[in-house]
Amino acid sequence: MSGTNWDHELDARGLLCPLPVLKARKRLQALAPGAVLRMLADDPAAVIDVPHFCAEAGHTLVDTAEEDNAQVYLIRKA
């Protein structure tokens, strides 16, 4: 993962599509523009859903990684 720090974390492990993205959307609404959300998800569909959500909503997908059998996404709020 890049050296990017994050402001908030969302553990969406165990949740299936579309819940990880819906929870990320709700959490991001409460954050200030430029804030970074670190989201963990283990739903196989998240690798498609999260980048698509970021592109549609105008957020920046800063980085992705694999950690403890989960995907990690760093999302910067638009």
Side-chain angles (χ1 to χ4, degrees):
M1 272 231 91
S2 70
T4 304
N5 293 324
W6 62 88
D7 302 296
H8 297 275
E9 186 168 69
L10 170 63
D11 187 349
R13 291 176 290 190
L15 301 177
L16 296 177
C17 177
L19 289 175
V21 165
L22 293 176
K23 289 194 173 286
R25 176 183 292 140
K26 185 173 182 179
R27 183 67 61 90
L28 284 161
Q29 284 176 345
L31 302 182
V36 176
L37 175 67
R38 180 179 190 257
M39 182 174 86
L40 292 91
D42 55 8
D43 177 12
V47 297
I48 296 166
D49 293 345
V50 173
H52 179 74
F53 159 69
C54 291
E56 290 291 307
H59 304 305
T60 302
L61 185 56
V62 178
D63 202 358
T64 61
E66 188 83 18
E67 181 181 296
D68 298 328
N69 297 321
Q71 298 92 39
V72 180
Y73 303 94
L74 291 181
I75 304 167
R76 185 180 313 280
K77 182 175 178 175

